[in-house]
Amino acid sequence: MLAEALAWLLTPAPATARRFGHLAESIAIAARHRRCRAAWAPHLAASRQALLESARTAPGQRIALVLGSGHLLDVPLAELAGSFESVWLVDLVHPWSSRLAARRYANVRLIALDVTECLDRLPDEPPLPARFLDEPGIDWVASVNLLSQLAGLPQHWLRRNRPGLDEAAIHRYGEALMARHLEWLARFRAPVCLLTDIGQTRLDARGEIVEWHDYRPLLAGWQVSAEWRWDLAPPGELTDGQTAFHRVAALTRR
């Protein structure tokens, strides 16, 4: 708990990230990775490999745009920095681990940004993001294990601050956020690699499904280039003997 408290105090983060919970979520991800390092290792290695394979399809080596860079656990930063003239890491929170890693490379830039462009507009309908679309130097784009996370914190804000909204409306808002993200990615003129959950499963202590989400209907028009299992919460991580795993895919759209 002391490490988490220090991270909250010492991590540079926009007021928006603190108010909506993105900083707390970033700290929680780091703590869970420390506990589940061995279980997560195959997923992180598969993510890095998929990004490298996609990056080789870039028509040039000017700018690599990485959305959802986070702690860089699943981002092969050294290889990208060695392949592109510039690497732009985009996230609302850049923890110190990422800041220190980025300092090793003169061509890596950190950009603090709400990629949904919705937080300052809540509870209005989420907009279609437009950032970076007119940047002529972008030769490759990656959205890194971000899609299924976009909705959670805005939905939590709506539940707290708009009690008149029913769950169906909040669910629709989350789906609209993810759809806008996919629309945004599809508008880039560069090759795009999307790493995302295509399914989430939670099991009880008997191994029976207690929760399941399928994101594949959102992904029409995207081609799967690789797929794997991520043991997000191995035995001992959740209460009551529950476990959770995700199906993750690398998808492309040129």
Side-chain angles (χ1 to χ4, degrees):
M1 293 298 293
L2 178 59
E4 286 82 354
L6 287 173
W8 174 265
L9 292 173
L10 300 178
T11 301
T16 300
R18 295 179 181 273
R19 185 167 70 252
F20 285 94
H22 294 80
L23 176 57
E25 186 175 71
S26 173
I27 294 169
I29 289 172
R32 176 169 279 190
H33 175 249
R34 289 193 293 269
R35 296 192 301 270
C36 305
R37 185 181 300 269
W40 285 20
H43 158 67
L44 299 177
S47 296
R48 291 190 291 266
Q49 182 61 32
L51 291 174
L52 288 176
E53 291 178 1
S54 174
R56 296 187 188 106
T57 70
Q61 283 74 48
R62 292 174 296 173
I63 298 171
L65 179 67
V66 180
L67 308 169
S69 53
H71 292 268
L72 298 174
L73 300 173
D74 40 14
V75 176
L77 182 60
E79 293 87 343
L80 294 177
S83 300
F84 290 88
E85 295 173 13
S86 185
V87 179
W88 293 1
L89 303 177
V90 180
D91 213 314
L92 193 52
V93 177
H94 295 286
W96 275 111
S97 58
S98 299
R99 293 172 179 271
L100 294 174
R103 287 179 183 178
R104 302 187 191 116
Y105 310 99
N107 62 336
V108 174
R109 174 185 174 190
L110 301 178
I111 301 172
L113 177 70
D114 163 29
V115 297
T116 67
E117 299 182 19
C118 82
L119 296 179
D120 292 333
R121 300 165 56 102
L122 283 168
D124 294 343
E125 283 295 307
L128 178 59
R131 286 291 299 272
F132 308 115
L133 292 176
D134 294 329
E135 173 56 57
I138 293 175
D139 281 323
W140 180 71
V141 180
S143 174
V144 184
N145 293 313
L146 176 66
L147 180 65
S148 65
Q149 301 178 40
L150 293 177
L153 293 175
Q155 287 176 319
H156 183 58
W157 186 93
L158 290 172
R159 291 187 183 97
R160 287 199 329 264
N161 295 280
R162 293 295 183 271
L165 286 179
D166 59 22
E167 278 302 310
I170 293 173
H171 176 75
R172 287 193 299 272
Y173 188 91
E175 288 207 330
L177 269 181
M178 290 186 280
R180 295 291 184 274
H181 186 71
L182 294 171
E183 291 176 50
W184 179 42
L185 295 179
R187 295 173 66 195
F188 281 96
R189 292 184 292 272
V192 174
C193 179
L194 171 65
L195 296 187
T196 186
D197 303 332
I198 57 175
Q200 298 179 349
T201 304
R202 183 184 290 251
L203 306 173
D204 64 17
R206 298 184 301 276
E208 297 179 359
I209 295 175
V210 294
E211 188 175 347
W212 179 70
H213 299 283
D214 183 6
Y215 295 105
R216 288 172 295 183
L218 295 170
L219 297 168
W222 292 83
Q223 295 180 331
V224 175
S225 57
E227 183 180 337
W228 60 90
R229 170 171 166 149
W230 176 15
D231 287 310
L232 176 69
E237 176 64 15
L238 302 177
T239 59
D240 300 325
Q242 293 188 354
T243 58
F245 69 89
H246 293 184
R247 294 300 303 178
V248 180
L251 303 103
T252 58
R253 185 163 188 155
R254 295 182 62 87

